Amino acid sequence: MAIGYQTIVGFMPRRNLLFPTLCIVLLIAAWTFRAPRPSFDHWLDNSAVRGATSSPSSPPPSSPPPSSVGAPTQSNNDVDLSAPDAPFVGWPLRRVCEEATWVPGLVYICDNNSGGIGNIRNYIHTCIRYGIEAGATGLVMPKIRKRNETDLADLFTDYLPFDYMFDEKHFRDALANCPQIILYDNVGDIPGVGRKPNIEHITPKKFGNREGCDWRDQNRHTDRFGDRFRRWLNDPKNGQSPPTKDHPRLIRFNWGVLWDWLTYRDGPEFANTFGGILKLNDQLLRLGNTALMRMRAFAKANGVEDGRFLGVHLRTESDALGFWPTYNTQTEAYLKQATQRGFEVAYIATGDPLEAANFAGAAIEMAQMRVVTKADLLDDEDMDELESLSWDQQGLIDLIVLLGSDFFAGTMPSSFSVYTAMKRHLRTGGVYTRPYKVGTEGDGLSYLVGNYEKYWEGWLFMWDGMWP
């Protein structure tokens, strides 16, 4: 008895498979030879992964503003971001600004700053970062509070212009990457502000639930700050009308908004480049680079063929706090580093000439190392110019030399030392530098002596809230 075919759903009798299989093979072959083959180089092009190439439908990118490096390409990482005169890499700021929600008539005033370079930079950066998140379409050119020259702990004397420390043209060019923001020279230049401007003072941390937080804790609500701030801005219960171009609202922070923003939240590209909106002015750069050049020459004249030298920040001036490392603690740690690393010459940065002389004597005795200061390196017109600078301005000459040193030894928790170490750390990865490993032997470029046991009491929070 013959048994016929049983048709099973989803299967086909074997004798019927030949023709469809042949068709499929021919179709695959046709598409294989027709489709363009991407070059092997394409798969090795990291810029494609990092977003450097745009889709065919995207408009071509506009040319970057002067003094900035545009588009996220591999070549961006060739920029030495640790240099004090590094060009500004603008695309991370431009991307953040494109994501913001802008409010016409909202103006931020970022002038409630004080202290040394580490603090003043971060006051300005933190204020501007909050301003972008809030949607401020106006920014008044920041001013700087001058320190009392006879009482270094008095940080609140006169307001000085932006170019007291920084390059104004560079700042304007850098902020051109955020074209939604208009820069005003003074409060009186803001349209519709009137003769008696009403400046509102806020503390950003209050725009979020702080329950359970240490009072010194950073703002854990920065992702939501913009929405909450704008709700407050538009709430009639606060007694103010929402801002408009003709009726602006002016915002200034209460003093102390300094280490609020967890910089890593914006990603390494922004965290490592945003600090570059502030560059030292030409006078300071020229004097600093002259001192650095002469430091190299001094090292070579003392038998160091490649001009290699150790950079030291001795922080023992009259305004140093009691729990900071003492002179003896710092000196012992610095000379230990010098001996281990084989340095024969060192540059010391300090505002206390007596302590500098003491350290130089100890270095000769304990490490057979010669030590000089900026006053030893500069002469004639350069020395006259140096002496005309304020205490904090002279410290910026030190900063430039320390950034150029072959190894840096500083003290924790000085914001000057922390900033120097973080800025030098940018050599390790450029735009994509990973965070500095705090409290360890570091990155082989810097070492900071101090107590790293307690996050708050030891001021370790600075590392999380500072833009290098």
Side-chain angles (χ1 to χ4, degrees), residues 168-181:
E168 182 174 328
K169 182 182 183 303
H170 175 88
F171 180 69
R172 290 181 180 275
D173 288 345
L175 280 192
N177 288 279
C178 203
Q180 301 87 345
I181 297 177

Side-chain angles (χ1 to χ4, degrees), residues 295-296 298-304 307-312 338 342-347 367-372:
M295 184 63 211
R296 293 281 182 205
F298 172 82
K300 291 178 181 179
N302 280 271
V304 183
R308 183 171 173 266
F309 72 94
L310 172 68
V312 171
F343 283 103
E344 299 175 49
V345 295
Y347 176 94
Q368 294 75 54
M369 181 175 68
R370 297 194 63 182
V371 177
V372 292

Side-chain angles (χ1 to χ4, degrees), residues 50 52 193 266 294 329 354 446:
R50 290 170 177 160
V193 76
D266 287 316
R294 292 184 179 176
T329 300
L354 179 60
S446 306

Side-chain angles (χ1 to χ4, degrees), residues 384-428:
D384 292 339
E385 200 169 355
L386 176 69
E387 292 177 342
S388 72
L389 300 178
S390 70
W391 192 82
D392 281 305
Q393 285 177 314
Q394 291 191 22
L396 300 179
I397 310 304
D398 289 328
L399 173 66
I400 294 168
V401 180
L402 295 176
L403 289 175
S405 64
D406 295 271
F407 190 81
F408 168 64
T411 186
M412 181 67 203
S414 162
S415 61
F416 182 99
S417 281
V418 172
Y419 169 60
T420 303
M422 289 185 70
K423 183 78 169 172
R424 290 170 57 84
H425 185 61
L426 294 176
R427 297 182 194 177
T428 64

Side-chain angles (χ1 to χ4, degrees), residues 227-240:
D227 290 337
R228 290 173 175 175
F229 174 83
R230 288 186 289 272
R231 281 201 299 270
W232 169 82
L233 198 66
N234 295 313
D235 190 344
K237 294 179 182 178
N238 294 316
Q240 298 277 356

